[in-house]
Amino acid sequence: MATMLSRWGAILIVVLAINTGGCGKSGRPVLVPAIGEVMFKGEPLTAGSIIFFPDKSVDYQNDRPSSLLQVNGSFIMKTYPFGDGVSPGKYKVCLNPPLANAIKLPQYGDPKKTPWEIEIPETGDKNIILEAQ
């Protein structure tokens, strides 16, 4: 009898772990790829970072996904602490303010003034091209 109860107890623990672990209830956002490059005057923009500011429609609001710009201007957005990707939805996109100021386009460093807006679909986007003008 005691063995049967401990077996049922083990099954109950497994069922509870499965039911509370998935479906976004853990607080972990659904992330999809957001990969691209930033250009300025036809050349890759480097020595800075890019930040996505989520619109109110984006499910996950606890972080601003970001990425360092690589030497070829490329980026792979990350959502801290969960890893590569962003939640699907609309974003204002900014450069970090020191980089925006260095290229004399400070509006690109301000989420209220940046001309860059992007919508990341449920499948992600691996071909984002942003041109600072």
Side-chain angles (χ1 to χ4, degrees), residues 12-28:
L12 179 62
I13 289 170
V14 169
V15 169
L16 287 173
I18 290 170
N19 284 337
T20 59
C23 305
K25 293 181 182 178
S26 66
R28 180 178 176 80

Side-chain angles (χ1 to χ4, degrees), residues 4 18-20 29 32 40 57 62 79 96 102-103 110 117 125:
M4 184 187 272
I18 290 170
N19 284 337
T20 59
V32 298
F40 176 62
S57 65
N62 295 342
T79 300
N96 62 313
I103 63 171
D110 184 339
E117 292 185 36
D125 190 340

Side-chain angles (χ1 to χ4, degrees), residues 57-133:
S57 65
V58 175
D59 287 340
Y60 188 71
Q61 295 284 322
N62 295 342
D63 186 47
R64 294 184 187 114
S66 62
S67 177
L68 292 175
L69 295 172
Q70 303 303 306
V71 295
N72 63 355
S74 68
F75 62 86
I76 299 173
M77 298 304 292
K78 296 174 180 14
T79 300
Y80 180 81
F82 303 107
D84 290 355
V86 302
S87 291
K90 294 180 182 179
Y91 293 87
K92 291 281 199 170
V93 181
C94 290
L95 299 172
N96 62 313
L99 178 57
N101 290 334
I103 63 171
K104 298 187 179 10
L105 295 171
Q107 67 272 24
Y108 284 89
D110 184 339
K112 293 179 181 163
K113 296 178 182 175
T114 181
W116 287 340
E117 292 185 36
I118 191 166
E119 184 162 1
I120 303 297
E122 299 286 331
T123 56
D125 190 340
K126 296 181 180 177
N127 296 302
I128 301 167
I129 305 293
L130 298 168
E131 177 76 36
Q133 301 178 18

